[in-house]
Amino acid sequence: MTSSHDNTLKQKSSDTKSENLLAKRFLGLEKNIWIEFSALAIAHKAVNVGQGFIDYAPPHYFIDLYKETLDDPNILLHQYTRGYGHRRLVDAISNVYSPYFNRKIDPLNEVLITGGAYPSLFNCIHAFVNPGDEVILIEPFFDCYEPMVRSAGGIPRCIALKPKPESTHADCSSSSDWILDKKELESLFNPRTRLILTNTPNNPVGKVFTQEELEHIACLCQKHDVICISDEVYEWIVYDENKKHIRMSTLPNMWERTLTIGSAGKTFSSTGLKLGWTIGPSNLVRGCQIVHQDCVYTCPTISQEVVARCFEYELKRLNSPECYFNYISKELLEKRDKLVQVLKECGMKPVIPDGGYFILADFSEFGDQFQSDADDMKDFKFVRHLTKEKQLATIPVTGFYTADDRHLAENYIRFCFAKKDETLDKAIEILRKLKAN
Ligand code: PMP
Ligand code: GLN
């Protein structure tokens, strides 16, 4: 029998071996916050308010349509389907999204179905970035953007959203206090700039970018002939009537240079589906198809058929309050406010999100014994401590920054509030005790 110590050693030596063999373009990209912190949460049986997934049932029709699809006598639903997207799904996506994009979306040439928003991002980045090209990222960004750019040989050029100084003194602030500096953004664009990645509503801050901010980005893209990859996976999750989600692609002259990314996992609250899509002009989607066709070729037929049926179901009631796309934010709003209240009470200053299902919390008052050093950042240490010692799993926010800018976020951790009340209540109980200590 081998001891766990032996196993650890074996693991270490095989890691070193694989890192020796690893293609150079992946060196430096070995760490991943989801791999580390999801495993840690499970190992310590922690209440998981870290990773972004809903731990209650998806919309009621979802499971019914899954069963209906499995019972369908069409045996071809168990075989490969069209490589760039199952016909019924690309049609459904075109029917649902055309009105939101103010144009008729061509289902065959302007939509690509992928295995989630992750591969959509990968296809977009790898299709258009040559070694040495610059890609503008807005920090904090969904963490995979940087490794995807680097593995394509691109150079990330970053601009960090800055919280208004006065907002950081209050017991809570808003995601809209995180500002994009126009002049600084302008200074990043140059002849080597190939892409900019935008994400609204944003993960992890929850910022819903304003029309003015998006127009500024759009103007710079046009001036410098840059493509915009617009990650809109949280498109339906916005909490303020006055801060509606705006699609980059609908701004003047932006359809031609924008690839919009969506996720069935987010849209139907079933992250295990792992299906996503890219919508854009045929010449850009073509690039993504080329990356996709020799990598994945086609996504699972049954899941695509289910998502098609779900979209068809919603299409009939798009403008009604019952439509899940309209309902989901109402359901999440109560959860957001409940967690915000407790975070305030216990002195972890929350950044109240306008969209998405994450809350950043400033834990300055709790983290004195943890300091950033060469091995790790303060937020990583604090998250490990909370997970191991308090059985509360959250996510460190410096994971959403490049190394140079990490210091900006060392006092923040991220909570996900898309959880059933029972989970939130358990998390709240732990947080209240933290205060008492
Ligand atoms: N983009 C953002 C902003 C995300 O938060 C996520 C995580 N769901 C993804 C992309 C990846 O989504 P998917 O699970 O569909 O690959
Ligand atoms: N997008 C989700 C989040 O931000 C999960 C990503 C993942 O688990 N890889 O939490």
Side-chain angles (χ1 to χ4, degrees):
M1 227 172 72
T2 49
S3 70
S4 66
H5 177 68
D6 288 344
N7 282 336
T8 315
L9 285 180
K10 267 195 202 142
Q11 180 65 37
K12 281 212 173 120
S13 75
S14 77
D15 278 356
T16 320
K17 207 168 151 204
S18 71
E19 276 162 32
N20 286 338
L21 296 171
L22 191 65
K24 285 195 183 65
R25 63 187 176 281
F26 292 106
L27 287 175
L29 310 181
E30 297 84 355
K31 284 192 180 164
N32 178 290
I33 48 175
W34 313 108
I35 300 288
E36 174 177 351
F37 290 101
S38 301
L40 199 68
I42 291 168
H44 293 273
K45 299 192 172 58
V47 179
N48 196 343
V49 283
Q51 196 183 19
F53 66 92
I54 286 188
D55 67 351
Y56 51 94
H60 65 89
Y61 57 82
F62 176 82
I63 305 283
D64 294 342
L65 291 175
Y66 227 114
K67 288 184 186 152
E68 187 189 285
T69 307
L70 287 174
D71 285 339
D72 193 304
N74 178 5
I75 52 154
L76 288 181
L77 288 177
H78 301 284
Q79 303 304 328
Y80 286 141
T81 186
R82 179 176 168 269
Y84 301 144
H86 187 55
R87 185 62 207 248
R88 187 162 172 180
L89 179 55
V90 290
D91 283 344
I93 286 182
S94 161
N95 290 335
V96 167
Y97 282 98
S98 288
Y100 294 102
F101 280 72
N102 306 326
R103 62 187 306 113
K104 171 78 188 125
I105 296 169
D106 171 356
L108 296 182
N109 299 301
E110 296 178 339
V111 181
L112 172 67
I113 305 298
T114 63
Y118 266 101
S120 289
L121 287 159
F122 185 91
N123 292 342
C124 293
I125 293 169
H126 278 253
F128 299 108
V129 171
N130 283 307
D133 284 350
E134 294 185 5
V135 177
I136 298 177
L137 303 180
I138 301 171
E139 293 167 319
F141 50 74
F142 185 52
D143 65 306
C144 68
Y145 296 179
E146 184 191 0
M148 285 186 187
V149 169
R150 289 201 188 277
S151 64
I155 302 165
R157 297 290 313 277
C158 295
I159 174 169
L161 294 171
K162 312 273 183 332
K164 287 183 194 157
E166 61 274 22
S167 71
T168 55
H169 302 308
D171 67 344
C172 71
S173 60
S174 159
S175 61
S176 60
D177 292 328
W178 289 55
I179 303 296
L180 184 65
D181 186 286
K182 282 189 181 171
K183 283 266 167 294
E184 192 186 340
L185 180 65
E186 220 166 308
S187 74
L188 293 184
F189 279 80
N190 69 69
R192 290 179 302 279
T193 313
R194 186 72 169 141
L195 304 177
I196 179 167
L197 271 89
T198 53
N199 173 213
T200 183
N202 166 276
N203 178 8
V205 179
K207 179 181 170 75
V208 176
F209 282 72
T210 63
Q211 174 102 18
E212 197 198 338
E213 287 166 328
L214 293 175
E215 275 172 359
H216 182 62
I217 298 171
C219 237
L220 291 168
C221 286
Q222 287 165 42
K223 184 168 164 200
H224 296 273
D225 194 17
V226 165
I227 299 168
C228 178
I229 299 175
S230 184
D231 178 342
E232 302 185 13
V233 300
Y234 301 103
E235 61 192 318
W236 305 111
I237 309 177
V238 277
Y239 302 109
D240 186 337
E241 271 296 303
N242 302 315
K243 291 176 190 155
K244 286 221 159 68
H245 171 60
I246 297 165
R247 293 181 165 75
M248 179 62 95
S249 202
T250 61
L251 298 184
N253 306 316
M254 282 309 280
W255 166 259
E256 294 76 5
R257 55 179 67 253
T258 305
L259 286 161
T260 303
I261 290 173
S263 162
K266 303 295 163 189
T267 304
F268 298 106
S269 297
S270 340
T271 54
L273 263 176
K274 287 306 300 180
L275 274 185
W277 48 88
T278 307
I279 299 176
S282 58
N283 62 325
L284 295 186
V285 168
R286 181 70 195 128
C288 301
Q289 290 173 339
I290 293 168
V291 182
H292 169 89
Q293 68 198 5
D294 290 312
C295 176
V296 174
Y297 174 60
T298 186
C299 293
T301 311
I302 290 277
S303 327
Q304 292 194 65
E305 175 78 14
V306 173
V307 174
R309 292 180 191 205
C310 289
F311 269 125
E312 288 165 9
Y313 184 90
E314 292 296 9
L315 184 61
K316 293 190 214 115
R317 53 176 201 173
L318 269 187
N319 295 319
S320 75
E322 293 79 41
C323 172
Y324 191 62
F325 309 155
N326 304 322
Y327 172 75
I328 185 169
S329 310
K330 294 194 179 65
E331 185 177 78
L332 288 168
L333 182 61
E334 270 179 41
K335 296 177 186 293
R336 180 194 76 169
D337 292 346
K338 189 167 166 171
L339 189 57
V340 161
Q341 188 53 36
V342 178
L343 288 169
K344 276 206 272 191
E345 280 167 25
C346 79
M348 276 202 207
K349 298 184 219 158
V351 179
I352 306 172
D354 286 324
Y357 42 53
F358 305 108
I359 298 180
L360 297 194
D362 179 340
F363 68 94
S364 312
E365 287 182 25
F366 292 78
D368 271 359
Q369 72 268 43
F370 309 102
Q371 292 305 327
S372 298
D373 56 32
D375 290 330
D376 242 332
M377 297 300 290
K378 182 175 169 184
D379 59 334
F380 272 67
K381 293 180 181 178
F382 187 56
V383 167
R384 281 196 203 103
H385 165 78
L386 286 182
T387 312
K388 291 181 188 172
E389 310 302 333
K390 310 288 175 188
Q391 284 69 54
L392 184 70
T394 58
I395 294 292
V397 175
T398 61
F400 299 82
Y401 285 76
T402 47
D404 286 351
D405 286 342
R406 255 168 219 158
H407 61 281
L408 296 171
E410 63 174 6
N411 284 319
Y412 290 97
I413 56 175
R414 193 197 78 173
F415 288 82
C416 172
F417 55 90
K419 305 290 173 186
K420 59 187 174 202
D421 287 339
E422 192 191 326
T423 311
L424 283 182
D425 289 342
K426 281 188 195 155
I428 286 169
E429 208 184 307
I430 299 171
L431 285 167
R432 289 216 162 105
K433 283 196 201 129
L434 277 188
K435 183 196 172 194
N437 291 339

